[in-house]
Amino acid sequence: MSKAAELAKIGEVATNGQIGGRRNMVINGAMQVDQRGATVTASGYSVDQFKITKTAMDNLVIAVTQDTDTPSEFTTALKLAVTTEESAKAVDELLDIRHIIEAQNLQHLEFGTSTAKKLTLSFWVRSSTTGKYSLLFLLDDDTRSNLQSYTISTADTWEYKTITIDGDTTGVIDNDNGIGMSIIWTLSAGTNFTGTPHAGWGAYAVTEDHAHADMVDFAAVDDGTFHITGVQLEVGSVATPFEHRSFGEELVLCHRYLNALLAYGTGNDNNNKIYNADYVNTHSFVRMGYPRMRDTPTINYTISAGASDTDYSSNGLIQLFNDTVTNWYIYDVLLEKEL
Amino acid sequence: MEFNSAKYLYDMEGVNKTHIQLNLGNSKFKHIVIDPANTDYQAILEWAKIDGNTIEDAD
């Protein structure tokens, strides 16, 4: 880059406000937080905020984990490993990784107006399968999409990718706590998901706009591995260095969507229990407060005896009652309200 | 979502249904708040539409 071009870029970054305040709209982009701490083999979450979608893949066996094979400035990555390949991909089969951003956190993009802002996505990626991969930006409220691609040049080597897109002057992102934008890294797609996609932003049709017909089929290769980390989405047309946030900051941001209470995952240990307190008329209850989440969460728990017969919980407070058992507790408590 | 049974839970007064309790087996449970906007709740209602599937009333 020439000196003049470099100065122009610096000016653009300053104009966009990219050197002040928080830049990265992605939560847990460095894959540090893994509250469930479990290996994922089906659709679901491994590290916080990055969801695996495995649809109709009847042969494919995968293991998705937090991994320590990373570029030098990171310590954790999301790893998707193929244990058994999809040997006969059908039209309805799909494998991807998604990051979903809450709608009210994207209002400053001014989508749906003439001043909609450009966006730049950057990330580090490593794959055993070289070639073209699809990357989809999907707006939930007005069902709009923008399909892009990136290329893995060298197998099993970390590569840094940046993609800049225009703001969508048509699609509005509602100012609420629902889905705003999904960023979807597609790894394998049957023909129900590929067609002739429109360029730039446009109305989304799953059969045309989800993935490119000429993308690689990562799931078809046995023992394949795909790593990703350092995911950053920012305003403007310049990819700035990754905004490293502390583990504590990322954990607090993740708690709005998932809360693994106490020492979740350690089972029936004393430091992982919410004990009952006696109540009148043989009633007993467990009660514990927690920071409010995106909405009232689904509560997962294991119980020591019987089952709770009354649930009086609200957003921010667990209250489970039992009117017959007076000596009980719950453990491995997980609160879910992901997008 | 795999579970053995589904049951409504009520508030302390025993009047209003507050959650659906899914029994996952091995003393594991999942409580889904009754809220039309809740996607887990919507999924359970779809499950209940299938012949033979029932959300049991509280004991």
Side-chain angles (χ1 to χ4, degrees):
Chain A
M1 186 182 294
S2 70
K3 196 67 179 176
E6 194 173 325
L7 286 170
K9 284 294 182 191
I10 291 171
E12 183 181 352
V13 168
T15 302
N16 290 335
Q18 288 174 267
I19 56 173
R22 179 160 286 173
R23 287 172 285 121
N24 194 359
M25 287 173 267
V26 171
I27 296 174
N28 201 30
M31 316 293 171
Q32 297 160 278
V33 180
D34 183 12
Q35 292 189 75
R36 290 185 175 88
T39 299
V40 170
T41 57
S43 291
Y45 287 86
S46 170
V47 303
D48 283 41
Q49 298 287 319
F50 284 82
K51 183 180 186 179
I52 307 304
T53 300
K54 179 173 173 275
T55 302
M57 291 273 187
D58 53 351
N59 307 121
L60 181 69
V61 179
I62 58 171
V64 186
T65 53
Q66 186 188 52
D67 198 57
T68 56
D69 185 332
T70 65
S72 58
E73 71 174 289
F74 300 96
T75 58
T76 46
L78 177 67
K79 176 185 179 183
L80 191 156
V82 173
T83 308
T84 303
E85 77 276 21
E86 184 62 40
S87 53
K89 186 173 68 180
V91 296
D92 60 344
E93 294 182 339
L94 183 69
L95 178 67
D96 65 44
I97 299 169
R98 302 179 179 212
H99 178 74
I100 307 172
I101 303 176
E102 190 173 336
Q104 61 189 340
N105 294 341
L106 297 171
Q107 296 306 301
H108 62 298
L109 303 183
E110 300 182 65
F111 274 26
T113 74
S114 60
T115 54
K117 294 183 171 71
K118 283 181 182 287
L119 295 174
T120 294
L121 178 74
S122 56
F123 55 97
W124 285 90
V125 63
R126 167 185 168 150
S127 176
S128 55
T129 302
T130 60
K132 178 180 177 180
Y133 287 74
S134 292
L135 191 146
L136 178 68
F137 296 86
L138 183 62
L139 302 183
D140 190 68
D141 291 316
D142 280 352
T143 322
R144 305 267 300 170
S145 64
N146 187 327
L147 184 62
Q148 301 287 324
S149 68
Y150 62 95
T151 301
I152 298 290
S153 305
T154 308
D156 301 319
T157 304
W158 281 103
E159 299 178 14
Y160 181 64
K161 306 297 179 188
T162 68
I163 294 172
T164 297
I165 60 171
D166 289 329
D168 186 3
T169 57
T170 301
V172 174
I173 300 174
D174 294 346
N175 186 18
D176 61 21
N177 65 350
I179 295 173
M181 178 190 292
S182 299
I183 306 170
I184 303 174
W185 290 261
T186 301
L187 304 182
S188 180
T191 54
N192 280 0
F193 301 94
T194 61
T196 307
H198 55 72
W201 287 104
Y204 170 72
V206 65
T207 53
E208 298 290 340
D209 304 310
H210 196 89
H212 297 95
D214 59 347
M215 67 168 283
V216 301
D217 187 2
F218 172 81
V221 182
D222 197 17
D223 294 329
T225 57
F226 184 93
H227 287 75
I228 186 169
T229 193
V231 181
Q232 178 155 290
L233 180 69
E234 58 194 310
V235 170
S237 58
V238 178
T240 62
F242 185 79
E243 178 190 3
H244 287 281
R245 298 194 283 252
S246 71
F247 181 86
E249 285 178 281
E250 293 288 6
L251 181 60
V252 169
L253 294 174
C254 290
H255 278 164
R256 180 167 169 79
Y257 309 92
L258 181 72
N259 240 307
L261 298 183
L262 306 174
Y264 174 78
T266 60
N268 195 0
D269 289 340
N270 284 337
N271 62 354
N272 193 29
K273 296 174 183 173
I274 308 175
Y275 288 94
N276 83 91
D278 289 335
Y279 195 60
V280 294
N281 300 327
T282 72
H283 283 48
S284 60
F285 65 91
V286 297
R287 174 182 288 170
M288 182 176 174
Y290 58 88
R292 282 175 61 87
M293 299 175 68
R294 185 175 65 84
D295 204 343
T296 305
T298 293
I299 304 170
N300 299 268
Y301 63 92
T302 307
I303 195 165
S304 63
S308 171
D309 51 24
T310 306
D311 189 332
Y312 209 49
S313 302
S314 55
N315 192 356
L317 185 64
I318 294 173
Q319 294 192 103
L320 306 180
F321 289 74
N322 192 310
D323 61 5
T324 56
V325 181
T326 57
N327 184 19
W328 58 290
Y329 54 86
I330 62 174
Y331 57 94
D332 277 346
V333 183
L334 186 70
L335 310 176
E336 299 173 299
K337 202 57 192 174
E338 287 147 327
L339 288 159
Chain B
M1 197 182 313
E2 294 182 1
F3 52 92
N4 297 334
S5 60
K7 183 176 79 171
Y8 284 110
L9 297 181
Y10 285 75
D11 58 17
M12 279 299 288
E13 289 71 33
V15 176
N16 300 307
K17 294 173 181 173
T18 63
H19 293 75
I20 295 174
Q21 181 184 72
L22 304 184
N23 185 342
L24 311 182
N26 296 321
S27 300
K28 296 180 186 299
F29 293 89
K30 182 186 285 280
H31 287 194
I32 296 170
V33 68
I34 294 177
D35 175 1
N38 184 306
T39 53
D40 287 336
Y41 177 62
Q42 292 165 7
I44 294 301
L45 292 184
E46 289 301 312
W47 171 85
K49 289 178 182 174
I50 300 170
D51 279 349
N53 292 345
T54 304
I55 304 172
E56 300 165 13
D57 209 346
D59 295 331

